[in-house]
Amino acid sequence: MELDGGAISLNGGGKLTNGDLEPSLLLNGEGSGPDSPKSGEGGEGGARNAGAGSVDAGELMKKPASPLDDKLKKRVRKLSRSNSKDGVLGVAGTPNFVAPHRKWKNSRRSRNIYGRGLPKKGGAGGKGVWGKPGTEEVYDELDEDPNDPNFDIDAYNSTHNVELKEIVPQLTEAEVVKKLETVILEYFEHGDTHEVADALDDLLQTGMKPLVTKTVVAVAFDHKQSQRELTSVLISDLYGRVVTRDDICAGFDLLLANLADIMLDTPDAPHLLGNFIARAVADDCIPPKYAYQSDREDLDQHGQAALVRATTLLSMHDGWGQLDNVWGVGGALRPVQTITQQMSYLLQEYLLSRDLSEAQRSIKELEVPHFHHELIYEAIIMTLEAFNESTEVAICELFRTLDSTCIVTPEQMEQGFRRVYEDMTDIVLDIPLAYSILDRFIQRCQHAGSFLNEALIKDIPTR
């Protein structure tokens, strides 16, 4: 249908112009043509028909929408709103170059116009879908029939007739000792007894507590005096929290019974064990009567010697207070004057005995590797004061041994010699021949070994 000025063109082929209807127009099932039964009517009928024709044409232009058109419009509006949210519409509402049907092609959302936009079948539908969320592990087990000829009774019992129980694995004595050694070595580094107690609470089992004292003391046998002091402190702190008095006594009994084997690695084990027992008595960890049972028949001579050592320490007239220093004050905790005095005594004892092994042991027990330059300085001063060739030979041999065994580092050795170089102006006031004695001593050391570098030899002071 087209509207052009005062003419109306209809699909039926008729045309309505200024109220005149052509014969080919069909309205309400009736027409006015040559064959029409009403074609003979006059102008009054034509006018009436013309008026009716104009009304029907207006009704055709305002044709009401069918229910299918309403559904289509609703779907279009809903699709436009959804696409605007999903970014299909661009700036100012202009559509992006994404076809809606391509966007919805692989969507799992419902295509029903009355749906709520949820996934199809609650997320359980579609290819490669595992099912609804929450049903991943819900599978109905197939009931097995015992009367089935292929029924496997062993397989059925292995899957159905099973009772689970919590089992705590029991550690063997060797495993406990190995873990205890690791804990003790860490304790020697940090020195925190509370951390050791917490570790032992999780490790020890019933009947294993005597192994604490045995393992701690056995490990301390292979360490220095400072670690032995830490061991005595650990035993005192563990008493009453982790171990009891009976546990400590049982641990010492195990050590006394195995002293013969321990002495293969630590020859002075009876002496050291006696110190540990005396210190434990002084710390009120074990009763004093334990140390005075040196005549026990179940002990060999080494065990009895250890108890005799403990009895001797406990019977000293100065009392048990001195047992707090039974291991001495190790490392840098001592005053410098005390360390210097001990080094002087050590060197004097060596010059009298000429025992290199004893001198090495004494130097190691000082536990001051950062202060060995003082030992070198004191030894050179003794050589200059002695003015004796035998003293020069002995000190030169000591220096060569300390360098070869790496007890004294080359840096400490050089620092000790340079300290003497710097103080020669003051030393020569007391020892007039100090320059010539020092020159002769350095030449002897140069011929004895290569523990003095060339720079140190060239820097020798002269008058």
Side-chain angles (χ1 to χ4, degrees), residues 354-371:
R354 305 295 173 94
D355 189 351
L356 289 172
S357 60
E358 180 65 19
Q360 295 177 32
R361 186 188 65 81
S362 301
I363 294 173
K364 290 180 180 178
E365 288 181 355
L366 292 177
E367 299 183 31
V368 284
H370 60 284
F371 201 58

Side-chain angles (χ1 to χ4, degrees), residues 42-113:
E44 182 181 358
R48 184 172 61 250
N49 292 335
S54 63
V55 173
D56 292 342
E59 292 177 356
L60 286 175
M61 288 186 292
K62 300 180 180 179
K63 181 180 180 181
S66 64
L68 181 61
D69 294 338
D70 293 339
K71 293 180 181 180
L72 183 60
K73 290 180 180 180
K74 290 180 181 180
R75 182 172 182 181
V76 170
R77 285 196 298 270
K78 184 176 179 180
L79 180 61
S80 64
R81 287 196 301 269
S82 175
N83 291 341
S84 64
K85 294 180 182 179
D86 296 339
V88 175
L89 295 181
V91 181
T94 59
N96 289 333
F97 296 97
V98 178
H101 65 277
R102 295 293 299 275
K103 178 178 178 61
W104 285 74
K105 178 180 178 181
N106 298 323
S107 175
R108 294 176 57 235
R109 297 176 61 182
S110 175
R111 289 171 171 79
N112 188 355
I113 61 175

Side-chain angles (χ1 to χ4, degrees), residues 150-166:
N150 297 325
F151 178 72
D152 190 354
I153 186 63
D154 295 333
Y156 181 83
N157 291 334
S158 63
T159 57
H160 294 77
N161 192 16
V162 176
E163 182 179 0
L164 301 178
K165 293 183 179 180
E166 182 180 0

